[in-house]
Amino acid sequence: METFQVILLALIQGLTEFLPISSSAHLILPSQILGWADQGLSFDVAVNTGSLFAVVIYFRHEIVVLAKAWFTSLASKQQTQESKLAWWIILATIPAVIVGFTAKDFIETHFRNTLVIAITTIVFGLLLWAADRMSKAQLTEFQMGWKKALLIGLAQAMALIPGTSRSGATMTAALMLGLTRDAAARFSFLMSVPVSFGAALLVTKDLVSSPAPIDYEALGLGIVVSFVAAYLCIHFFLKFISKIGMTPFVLYRLALGAILLGLLYL
C-alpha cells in the first residue's frame, strides 16, 4: 500500500468508527472513486486496533472503576451503580457475540455490497433523526436498567449489517429509550470495548493462518493514524454532542447514501 492510501484509510476508520455515520460506508468510497484494491485483512486488524486503543485510553479511568466494581460485586454480592453499569455492558455485548458467531459469514456474503450499505446508511440515518427528535433525554447511563441495556445490545447486533453504524445504532436505541445524548454516546463507546476486542481477536486468528504477506510498516502507520483520529473524534464528539445534536450526522448520512446510490446507478 502507498503511504497516502494508508493514511487516508486509517483516518477514515479512526474518524468514522465512533461517529454515527458508518465506517463501512466510508471505506467503500476510496475503492469506488479511486479504484483501489481491497486493503487486506491485516490492515483492517491494524486500524481497528488503533481505534480500540483510543477508546480504552480515553475512558481508562472509567474502565478501571467499572472493572474494580464488577470484581468487587462478584466477591461481596453487593451492587453499586458502577458494578451495575459493568454488568449492563456485559449483557449488552451478548447479542452481538451471538449474531457475530452465527451469522457473520451470511452477512458478509449477502449484505456486504454498495446497495445494502447505501440503503442502511439512509434508513438508519432517518431512525437516528427520529430518535433524537422524540427522545425524552432524561436518563444517565447509570439509570437505564438491564432491560434497556439489553435492547441497546440488540441494536448493536443489528449493526453487523454494513452501513448501519455500530455507534449510530446503539445511540439511536439509547435515545429512543430516554438516555441523554451524552449518556447515549458514553454507553455506546464503553460498549465498543469488549466487542472490538473480541472482533480483533477473531480477525487476528484469521490473519495468523493467512499466507498473505504482511507490510509491518504500513500496519504501524495505520495503527498510529487510526488511534490519533479516533481519540480526537471521541473527545470532540462528547464535547459538542449535547449542543449540536444528531441532525448534522443525519444530513451527512443522507448525502452519503445518495452519493453511494449515484455511484452505483449513474
Side-chain angles (χ1 to χ4, degrees), residues 188-210:
S188 174
F189 294 156
L190 290 170
M191 283 174 65
S192 74
V193 175
V195 169
S196 298
F197 182 72
L201 288 179
L202 289 176
V203 178
T204 300
K205 179 178 70 67
D206 294 337
L207 177 61
V208 171
S209 60
S210 172

Side-chain angles (χ1 to χ4, degrees), residues 76-185:
S76 66
K77 307 298 183 181
Q78 295 181 347
Q79 300 292 335
T80 63
Q81 66 174 9
E82 288 80 11
S83 66
K84 288 179 181 179
L85 180 57
W87 279 111
W88 296 340
I89 291 172
I90 294 171
L91 178 64
T93 303
I94 294 174
V97 172
I98 294 173
V99 175
F101 272 109
T102 58
K104 178 176 177 291
D105 292 338
F106 179 84
I107 290 172
E108 290 187 351
T109 301
H110 297 280
F111 293 152
R112 196 172 183 81
N113 58 71
T114 305
L115 179 59
V116 169
I117 291 175
I119 291 173
T120 52
T121 297
I122 293 171
V123 170
F124 282 90
L126 293 173
L127 288 174
L128 177 62
W129 173 80
D132 195 38
R133 290 292 299 272
M134 295 185 297
S135 174
K136 296 180 181 179
Q138 296 175 339
L139 303 176
T140 70
E141 63 269 36
F142 295 103
Q143 297 173 313
M144 60 183 177
W146 69 268
K147 292 180 181 179
K148 289 182 173 63
L150 181 58
L151 289 172
I152 298 171
L154 291 172
Q156 181 170 245
M158 289 181 59
L160 291 172
I161 300 173
T164 302
S165 170
R166 191 208 64 81
S167 57
T170 53
M171 289 183 205
T172 296
L175 289 170
M176 286 181 173
L177 294 168
L179 272 71
T180 65
R181 291 168 180 162
D182 287 342

